[in-house]
Amino acid sequence: MKILLITKRVPFPPNSGYPIVVYNTIKGLLQLGADITLFSLNPTKGRIDIEDIYDPIFEQIKYHTYDLDTDVNVWSAFFNIFTNESYNVSRYYSEDAARQLENLLRENVFDIIQFEGLFVVPYLDVVKANSNAKLIYRAHNIEFTLWERLSHSEKFLIRRKYLAFLAQRLKAYETDQINRFHHIFAISEPDRQSILRFGCEIPMSVFPVAIDLEKYKVDKSKTSFPTLFHLGAMDWRPNQEGLEWFLDDIWPDIEKLNKDLRFYIAGKNMQKHFFEYDSENLIVEGEVFDAVEFMNSKAIMIVPLISGTGMRVKIIEGMAMKKCIIATTTAAEGINCRHGHDILIADSADEFYRSILQCIINPKRWVEIGENARKTVENDHGVHLISSKMLKIYEELVSV
């Protein structure tokens, strides 16, 4: 089975949500004998030097990358208003990248071509013109919903209207494209339902985030208590927004619960203003070298998202590390978890306070929830389980 994955960024190293999802897809399919080719855009922000990738998985695939400047330009954003294009999406399209992809397709025959997310869909016409492969669209989230939620929470009127405008353009683009593939992979059941409401008429399957469970080894002797932690990419606005809410409205009361309580905040691209919150009880670490080791060393994971769609990879990782996770309904959306069993759901300052208090005064509680969380991940998110189901759909498509 020859498979081409088209991605909006190089999924090496797998150090945040999108790269982890793509990386584990590659790893699982390779284990099942698939022949994988990767075509990745390599945006200016977060650009990866291919020469610096040292990973046995990378050595097993064929790869092609195109360096692309996706930075927001004030003038191009302004003039885009007078077009029919989505500015969010158009920044990822380049004629030179399209030509490179066209050459790849003319020189190779693929059984399956999988578009990893909305931002590589602009290359669909090039693929259709140069390949007879079966085409898959994997929706990592519902992009327009994310921007819609951001616009609702924006206080500055002009910015709120512009975010709503971007959301409207994204929605039009997403709904226009969904029926141009042979199959769609949604990352959660709520996202599948959203895509159906767009008017989707093609087959669709749900493939949640897959993780390699062998990577997530728990050593409780290294876990300190009482500790809270937040881990996530801090250049993603929903993470910033949720953490600011927690720090401003919730943390001041939590801090008084126990003089020994510590809250650790980590993540790549930590925004400067978060370091201003740093204190004796609140430690802003920035990017950590080993996310798994960091999670292992802390007890309770805080995920206060109030916007965003898709599935939170960091929650799945935290569950695999037997963490007690206290998260909003939005953060836990799409995950097969149950409040009070393998996660604690908190949507208000009072609910966060009571959940954290419950864990501090009854340590057995957070340990029990963490144990159940690991079992949930083992049942639903194993990389071999998900890759096997994915490959079966590929084989069915190719055989038609």
Side-chain angles (χ1 to χ4, degrees):
M1 180 72 66
K2 295 191 69 174
I3 302 166
L4 171 64
L5 300 180
I6 304 178
T7 69
K8 70 173 183 178
R9 56 172 292 191
V10 178
F12 296 87
N15 56 3
S16 62
Y18 182 90
I20 288 171
V21 171
V22 177
Y23 179 93
N24 286 331
T25 298
I26 293 171
K27 185 172 187 176
L29 292 172
L30 284 173
Q31 290 172 348
L32 296 171
D35 182 324
I36 305 290
T37 299
L38 179 68
F39 181 87
S40 292
L41 302 176
N42 198 4
T44 309
K45 187 177 180 180
R47 178 162 292 161
I48 300 297
D49 188 341
I50 303 301
E51 301 299 319
D52 290 340
I53 298 176
Y54 301 99
D55 190 306
I57 298 299
F58 190 68
E59 302 301 321
Q60 297 177 55
I61 66 173
K62 305 175 189 71
Y63 66 90
H64 304 265
T65 61
Y66 181 82
D67 291 349
L68 183 67
D69 182 2
T70 57
D71 290 347
V72 174
N73 179 285
V74 174
W75 286 111
S76 61
F78 174 75
F79 287 118
N80 173 265
I81 294 172
F82 305 102
T83 72
N84 293 319
E85 295 182 338
S86 163
Y87 184 61
N88 302 68
V89 174
S90 64
R91 288 186 293 124
Y92 283 83
Y93 183 79
S94 159
E95 292 286 351
D96 289 339
R99 277 192 288 272
Q100 185 176 327
L101 177 59
E102 181 180 342
N103 291 335
L104 173 63
L105 295 170
R106 287 180 173 179
E107 294 169 5
N108 298 271
V109 176
F110 297 101
D111 300 303
I112 297 289
I113 298 178
Q114 186 157 304
F115 292 75
E116 294 285 348
L118 188 69
F119 297 114
V120 292
V121 172
Y123 297 93
L124 179 58
D125 287 337
V126 175
V127 171
K128 281 179 168 283
N130 294 279
S131 175
N132 293 318
K134 298 299 182 181
L135 308 179
I136 309 263
Y137 170 54
R138 171 141 65 169
H140 286 244
N141 51 42
I142 309 300
E143 291 292 343
F144 90 85
T145 303
L146 166 61
W147 290 86
E148 209 170 52
R149 288 176 177 175
L150 286 173
S151 71
H152 292 157
S153 62
E154 177 59 52
K155 295 180 176 63
F156 185 47
L157 179 62
I158 295 175
R159 184 172 175 81
R160 182 166 72 244
K161 287 186 175 297
Y162 185 63
L163 289 172
F165 170 76
L166 291 177
Q168 186 180 25
R169 283 278 176 91
L170 269 172
K171 183 176 183 179
Y173 186 76
E174 281 186 89
T175 53
D176 283 348
Q177 301 300 317
I178 53 170
N179 288 314
R180 301 185 66 203
F181 298 86
H182 296 101
H183 204 104
I184 290 178
F185 293 165
I187 209 155
S188 68
E189 180 58 30
D191 279 13
R192 188 184 80 88
Q193 294 297 330
S194 293
I195 295 169
L196 283 173
R197 288 193 290 273
F198 293 169
C200 181
E201 298 172 351
I202 62 173
M204 185 161 34
S205 305
V206 174
F207 283 100
V209 173
I211 62 172
D212 184 354
L213 289 159
E214 291 182 6
K215 177 183 173 183
Y216 300 90
K217 292 181 168 59
V218 180
D219 183 352
K220 291 185 178 178
S221 68
K222 295 181 179 179
T223 303
S224 59
F225 179 83
T227 49
L228 311 175
F229 73 97
H230 177 275
L231 178 63
M234 295 312 298
D235 55 354
W236 193 51
R237 191 167 172 198
N239 278 342
Q240 297 173 26
E241 178 188 60
L243 186 56
E244 285 166 0
W245 169 59
F246 185 86
L247 292 175
D248 292 337
D249 297 355
I250 305 172
W251 172 246
D253 290 326
I254 300 297
E255 192 174 13
K256 299 170 187 173
L257 285 174
N258 186 317
K259 65 181 177 60
D260 297 321
L261 179 64
R262 298 289 184 270
F263 181 28
Y264 295 84
I265 300 172
K268 66 175 188 174
N269 299 316
M270 184 67 67
Q271 305 299 293
K272 289 181 180 179
H273 69 279
F274 284 110
F275 288 98
E276 296 172 6
Y277 289 96
D278 202 280
S279 67
E280 185 180 346
N281 294 74
L282 195 158
I283 299 91
V284 181
E285 301 226 357
E287 186 168 4
V288 291
F289 177 72
D290 188 328
V292 172
E293 186 178 304
F294 174 79
M295 284 190 282
N296 186 72
S297 68
K298 311 295 180 283
I300 299 162
M301 185 176 188
I302 304 296
V303 192
L305 278 189
I306 49 181
S307 65
T309 65
M311 185 175 288
R312 306 280 73 77
V313 177
K314 281 293 178 280
I315 290 185
I316 305 301
E317 291 189 299
M319 294 174 78
M321 290 301 294
K322 299 186 179 181
K323 298 296 110 177
C324 175
I325 296 165
I326 305 176
T328 58
T329 300
T330 296
E333 192 174 66
I335 300 172
N336 184 27
C337 55
R338 194 165 80 247
H339 172 59
H341 174 69
D342 48 12
I343 197 169
L344 292 176
I345 298 296
D347 288 317
S348 67
D350 183 58
E351 288 172 352
F352 266 102
Y353 181 89
R354 284 189 280 114
S355 294
I356 292 170
L357 177 62
Q358 176 187 152
C359 292
I360 291 175
I361 63 177
N362 183 11
K364 288 184 179 178
R365 179 67 171 146
W366 69 262
V367 171
E368 178 188 14
I369 287 175
E371 293 288 342
N372 291 336
R374 172 74 185 203
K375 292 173 186 173
T376 296
V377 171
E378 289 173 350
N379 290 334
D380 294 351
H381 298 277
V383 67
H384 181 75
L385 170 73
I386 290 173
S387 298
S388 297
K389 291 179 179 178
M390 198 173 279
L391 186 62
K392 184 177 179 182
I393 289 178
Y394 293 160
E395 290 170 344
E396 290 172 353
L397 283 170
V398 171
S399 66
V400 175

